[in-house]
Amino acid sequence: MFRSRSKEEQAATSKVTADQPQQPRDPQAPKGRPTPKRSQAQSQRRARAQSAPANRKEAVKAQREARRADMARQREALAKGDERYLPVRDKGPVRRFARDYVDSRWCVAEFFLPVAVIILVLTMVRVPQIQSIALILWLVVILLIVLDSIAVWIGLTKRLKDRFPNENLKGVKPYALMRTLQMRRLRLPKPQVKRGERP
């Protein structure tokens, strides 16, 4: 009952455990390695406890470096349009097509910021006629942006249904409209098509 097993039995059990795939170990089965002595286990535990803060600091540093490398790769991908390293919201052929569709046309919304600055300057002038012109100009710009956005929405919907009939198109049209609000040279990922070029 208390006799030790022979070397042949131990070799057989280790061979069987090596051949089997990794599964939860039966509590009654042999573990396949000798139990360490108490002094040895305590010294290993002490060594782990002493080295933990240094390892944690190194792990945090390595993680920070990896994050920095990822961000640099993403910035480069945004500048060049490299699909592999783009952020998740910009990835995929559907999003790329939406970007190309917006970049290939003139959009009223991309001139919103410069026009808004001009209108703001005009409203600061203390002449009532110029202020009323600025107010009318403000309303005209907003109306043109709304009409142009509707045209982009309808045109993009039609083109997406033709080009990607079985793809998930959720969130693509708002993504394209947000891109129309950015000035062309400030858009990220950088435009890959010229104006008037059919995507």
Side-chain angles (χ1 to χ4, degrees):
M1 184 173 163
F2 294 110
R3 65 188 173 81
S4 63
R5 295 185 305 162
S6 67
K7 290 182 181 177
E8 293 167 2
E9 286 178 7
Q10 288 177 350
T13 54
S14 65
K15 187 177 180 183
V16 168
T17 54
D19 292 343
Q20 290 176 346
Q22 290 292 333
Q23 293 179 347
R25 191 173 70 82
D26 181 24
Q28 302 298 322
K31 63 182 177 228
R33 59 182 170 78
T35 305
K37 293 182 180 176
R38 179 175 291 195
S39 60
Q40 192 180 3
Q42 285 176 344
S43 65
Q44 286 176 349
R45 198 169 32 240
R46 267 193 234 103
R48 276 198 302 269
Q50 288 170 357
S51 65
N55 287 344
R56 194 178 306 129
K57 196 180 282 186
E58 287 172 20
V60 168
K61 187 177 178 183
Q63 197 175 22
R64 195 181 304 126
E65 290 296 324
R67 198 178 315 125
R68 198 172 289 148
D70 275 351
M71 292 299 288
R73 211 179 300 129
Q74 273 190 9
R75 274 195 299 275
E76 193 176 336
L78 286 168
K80 292 181 180 176
D82 189 354
E83 194 74 27
R84 292 172 299 169
Y85 304 116
L86 286 176
V88 177
R89 78 186 167 113
D90 297 311
K91 273 188 177 175
V94 179
R95 299 282 171 131
R96 184 184 180 99
F97 179 80
R99 287 195 302 272
D100 291 346
Y101 181 81
V102 169
D103 295 337
S104 67
R105 60 196 311 270
W106 291 91
C107 298
V108 179
E110 68 183 283
F111 302 108
F112 174 73
L113 280 176
V115 172
V117 169
I118 292 167
I119 292 170
L120 189 65
V121 169
L122 289 176
T123 55
M124 293 165 116
V125 177
R126 296 287 182 191
V127 179
Q129 289 87 2
I130 293 177
Q131 286 183 339
S132 60
I133 288 170
L135 183 63
I136 292 167
L137 191 61
W138 186 252
L139 293 171
V140 167
V141 167
I142 289 174
L143 184 65
L144 286 173
I145 287 172
V146 168
L147 291 173
D148 188 49
S149 298
I150 291 169
V152 168
W153 187 281
I154 292 168
L156 184 60
T157 303
K158 187 170 180 275
R159 296 286 300 279
L160 284 171
K161 282 181 181 174
D162 292 344
R163 184 74 68 94
F164 305 100
N166 301 321
E167 292 283 336
N168 180 15
L169 304 177
K170 186 179 179 183
V172 177
K173 288 171 275 187
Y175 172 77
L177 288 182
M178 287 303 294
R179 192 166 175 87
T180 62
L181 290 169
Q182 301 165 344
M183 295 173 75
R184 185 180 170 87
R185 69 176 62 174
L186 301 178
R187 289 175 184 167
L188 289 174
K190 296 281 185 192
Q192 303 294 311
V193 294
K194 294 177 181 175
R195 291 193 199 270
E197 191 178 322
R198 195 174 174 84

